[in-house]
């Protein structure tokens, strides 16, 4: 065994590697691209969750889009007020106030209030359970309760309560809309945080069918519609719907509702 | 260097020994980039360019370093080194000199770096791959031509595939075969068709 048999190949590869490394290092110096320093600055102030709510690929892409003016700051939903101010200072633009929104779950039918139609023993995931006859609950519109929304929330804003219903933490929720996309029954909507009352039911069934399935479902009795002094609430397809453009938090509907379908935020 | 030889290299590399459909190299870009025609074409051009230039560099490396030192067995690792470094360098140059081209190539340039078809063409170049033997390993021109036509063959397969897959989007494919599975079936049928060329003797 000749020692040269080892030394030569090792040396050759080492020299090749080092040569290419140095060559690439020099080339990267020579061909360096001048990045806009503001992009880095803005990126520091962004939440860094890369949730994609703004439409860009991630926070870095969003920073670039802000610089190029193809995107506005309010597209980012996870951003704090101070950071918004900082970024608008960097960009040198006026900051427009944004209506803060929060995700609301439109279902009160937890496992104590909503009846089951069969015992489900499959994968514990809402999408999977929904494929089996629309999930185990008797109401086919309601919350299936396996917490796919909890999984998908990158801000940890959704937790399951003891009734198997997701609860949204208004402080943590950034209105990114991921829970809206994942929920098979489309039970989440984004609503202004200033509004206290919300309809917590999505069932379009007639009153009797709703009563059979769930004790807190909307039976379409029109009491809230009559009670509202500003006509902000309408019954559409056996379901009450609040028009938040008109609603001014009077709470007459909440008092009138016989099935306690309307939810009120604790203030 | 005869013109007849070059023509037979071309036919061999594009049809008989097509890199994707007969040698099954570079299947990831073949399935990943063939969803529609435009990126398939730009990927094809990028592959042609990288293959040809890699062949030039590796031919030099093989004939002037590896053979004299009798360390031909380092071929694979040193070729990977060269191709990787070269593609990085090309990416830098393109980024600096032609941003629109850089945007058009996008993710495909780094993808080519780790593409077995590029390594394949350089390794096979040093292997007397071309049918009548001895033609390529010794000759720089033949080696470069072979790499160039391998790239053309690659692009041909990509373009055909993207044309077919664009139509597949509109066809009622069974649910379980939608997407990649049907693409694999189509690729295998194309490959079978290309096997028809294997009877050619050049």
């Amino acid at each position: 065994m000749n020692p040269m048999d080892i030394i030569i190949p090792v040396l050759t590869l080492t020299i090749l590697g080092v040569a290419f490394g140095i060559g690439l290092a020099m080339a990267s110096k020579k061909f360096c691209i001048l990045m806009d320093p503001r992009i880095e600055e803005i990126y520091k102030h962004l939440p860094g969750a890369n949730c994609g709510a703004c439409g860009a690929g991630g926070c870095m892409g969003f920073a670039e889009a802000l610089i190029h003016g193809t995107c506005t700051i309010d597209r980012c939903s996870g951003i704090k007020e101070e950071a918004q101010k900082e970024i608008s200072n960097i960009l040198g633009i006026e900051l427009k106030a944004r209506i803060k929104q929060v995700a609301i779950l439109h279902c009160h039918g937890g496992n104590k209030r909503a009846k089951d139609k069969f015992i489900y023993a499959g994968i514990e995931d809402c999408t999977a359970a929904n494929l089996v006859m629309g999930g185990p609950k008797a109401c086919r519109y309601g919350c299936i309760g396996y917490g796919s929304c909890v999984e998908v929330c990158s801000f940890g804003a959704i937790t399951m309560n003891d009734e198997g219903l997701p609860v949204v933490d208004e402080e943590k929720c950034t209105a990114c809309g991921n829970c809206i996309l994942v929920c098979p029954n489309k039970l989440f909507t984004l609503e202004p945080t200033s509004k206290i009352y919300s309809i917590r039911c999505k069932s379009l069934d007639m009153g009797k069918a709703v009563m059979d399935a769930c004790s807190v479902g909307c039976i379409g009795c029109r009491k809230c519609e009559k009670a509202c002094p500003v006509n902000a609430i309408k019954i559409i397809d056996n379901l009450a719907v609040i028009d938040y453009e008109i609603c001014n938090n009077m709470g007459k509907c909440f008092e009138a509702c016989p099935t306690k379908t309307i939810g009120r935020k604790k203030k | 260097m005869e013109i007849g030889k070059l023509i037979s290299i071309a036919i061999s590399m594009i049809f008989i020994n097509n890199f994707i459909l007969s040698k099954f190299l570079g299947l990831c870009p073949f399935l990943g980039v063939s969803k529609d025609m435009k990126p398939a074409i730009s990927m094809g051009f990028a592959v042609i360019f990288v293959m040809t230039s890699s062949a030039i560099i590796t031919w030099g490396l093989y004939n002037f370093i590896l053979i004299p030192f009798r360390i031909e067995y380092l071929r694979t690792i040193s070729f990977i080194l060269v191709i990787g470094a070269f593609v990085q360098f090309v990416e830098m140059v393109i980024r600096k000199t032609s941003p629109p081209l850089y945007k058009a190539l996008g993710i495909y340039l780094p993808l080519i770096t780790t593409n077995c078809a590029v390594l394949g063409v350089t390794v096979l170049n040093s292997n007397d791959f071309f049918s009548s033997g001895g033609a390529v390993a010794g000759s720089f021109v033949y080696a470069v031509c072979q790499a160039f036509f391998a790239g053309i063959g690659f692009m041909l397969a990509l373009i055909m595939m993207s044309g077919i897959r664009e139509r597949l989007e509109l066809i009622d494919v069974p649910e379980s075969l939608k997407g990649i599975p049907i693409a694999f079936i189509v690729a295998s049928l194309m490959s079978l068709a290309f096997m028809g060329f294997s009877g050619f003797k050049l």
Side-chain angles (χ1 to χ4, degrees), chain A residues 101-175:
Chain A
Q101 290 185 307
V102 65
I104 300 278
L105 179 80
H106 291 275
C107 179
H108 262 178
N111 45 28
K112 294 198 181 95
R113 292 171 177 157
K115 298 187 184 74
D116 284 356
K117 60 176 177 259
F118 62 90
I119 296 169
Y120 175 75
I123 302 165
E124 301 223 334
D125 173 85
C126 301
T127 314
N130 190 41
L131 293 173
V132 187
M133 296 167 60
K137 282 198 181 145
C139 171
R140 64 192 172 94
Y141 300 97
C143 173
I144 297 168
Y146 288 114
S148 291
C149 45
V150 180
E151 297 287 313
V152 84
C153 182
S154 44
F155 301 96
I158 307 180
T159 47
M160 296 304 266
N161 67 4
D162 52 357
E163 283 192 38
L165 282 179
V167 180
V168 181
D169 181 338
E170 198 168 299
E171 290 301 307
K172 288 182 184 164
C173 175
T174 63

Side-chain angles (χ1 to χ4, degrees), chain B residues 65-92:
Chain B
I65 296 176
L66 299 190
I67 290 182
F69 287 129
R70 283 198 304 237
I71 44 173
E72 292 93 335
Y73 57 85
L74 286 180
R75 189 176 60 188
T76 309
I77 191 169
S78 55
F79 282 10
I80 290 174
L81 199 71
V82 173
I83 294 166
F86 172 71
V87 174
Q88 283 294 308
F89 177 71
V90 168
E91 193 176 1
M92 282 178 204

Side-chain angles (χ1 to χ4, degrees), chain A residues 77-97:
Chain A
S77 55
I79 197 163
K80 296 270 182 297
E81 290 283 325
E82 312 83 74
Q84 277 193 333
K85 289 199 183 82
E86 289 289 339
I87 292 176
S88 45
N89 285 343
I90 295 168
L91 291 169
I93 51 171
E94 194 87 11
L95 180 63
K96 282 201 280 294

Side-chain angles (χ1 to χ4, degrees), chain A:
Chain A
M1 182 76 188
N2 187 350
M4 287 312 270
D5 286 347
I6 297 172
I7 294 169
I8 287 181
V10 170
L11 268 184
T12 317
L13 267 192
T14 314
I15 290 168
L16 274 179
V18 170
F20 283 130
I22 292 172
L24 277 181
M26 278 161 55
S28 70
K29 278 269 182 294
K30 193 165 164 11
F31 293 106
C32 75
I33 304 285
L34 287 174
M35 286 266 286
D36 194 327
R38 291 181 302 172
I39 292 181
E40 277 297 322
E41 283 291 311
I42 290 176
Y43 182 71
K44 274 185 209 142
H45 292 295
L46 291 173
N50 293 326
C51 68
C54 56
C59 292
M60 202 70 189
F62 181 60
E64 278 171 35
L66 284 177
I67 295 280
H68 296 312
T70 51
C71 223
T72 49
I73 303 177
D74 56 339
R75 294 288 292 279
C76 177
S77 55
I79 197 163
K80 296 270 182 297
E81 290 283 325
E82 312 83 74
Q84 277 193 333
K85 289 199 183 82
E86 289 289 339
I87 292 176
S88 45
N89 285 343
I90 295 168
L91 291 169
I93 51 171
E94 194 87 11
L95 180 63
K96 282 201 280 294
R98 173 173 59 119
I99 299 170
K100 189 161 163 30
Q101 290 185 307
V102 65
I104 300 278
L105 179 80
H106 291 275
C107 179
H108 262 178
N111 45 28
K112 294 198 181 95
R113 292 171 177 157
K115 298 187 184 74
D116 284 356
K117 60 176 177 259
F118 62 90
I119 296 169
Y120 175 75
I123 302 165
E124 301 223 334
D125 173 85
C126 301
T127 314
N130 190 41
L131 293 173
V132 187
M133 296 167 60
K137 282 198 181 145
C139 171
R140 64 192 172 94
Y141 300 97
C143 173
I144 297 168
Y146 288 114
S148 291
C149 45
V150 180
E151 297 287 313
V152 84
C153 182
S154 44
F155 301 96
I158 307 180
T159 47
M160 296 304 266
N161 67 4
D162 52 357
E163 283 192 38
L165 282 179
V167 180
V168 181
D169 181 338
E170 198 168 299
E171 290 301 307
K172 288 182 184 164
C173 175
T174 63
C176 72
N178 283 343
C179 51
I180 298 176
L181 292 176
V182 82
C183 181
N185 284 342
K186 299 280 166 270
L187 289 169
F188 284 101
T189 55
L190 292 179
E191 284 164 15
T193 47
S194 57
K195 306 295 177 185
I196 301 172
Y197 299 97
S198 53
I199 308 290
R200 299 301 180 95
C201 184
K202 274 276 192 207
S203 175
L204 303 179
D205 284 344
M206 302 294 280
K208 185 174 182 325
V210 175
M211 293 282 261
D212 289 344
C214 176
S215 64
V216 286
C218 174
I219 51 174
C221 67
R222 299 188 182 268
K223 280 184 181 162
C224 53
E225 191 176 315
K226 292 185 185 100
C228 182
V230 290
N231 296 329
I233 199 160
K234 293 264 180 301
I235 302 288
I236 303 169
D237 298 336
N238 305 317
L239 176 66
V241 178
I242 297 178
D243 184 345
Y244 285 109
E245 297 285 308
I246 309 170
C247 173
N248 53 8
N249 293 340
M250 284 182 180
K252 298 278 189 223
C253 54
F254 179 77
E255 288 154 24
C257 182
T259 53
K260 295 285 165 261
T261 305
I262 295 176
R264 173 165 63 178
K265 284 180 198 165
K266 296 179 182 71
K267 281 289 174 197

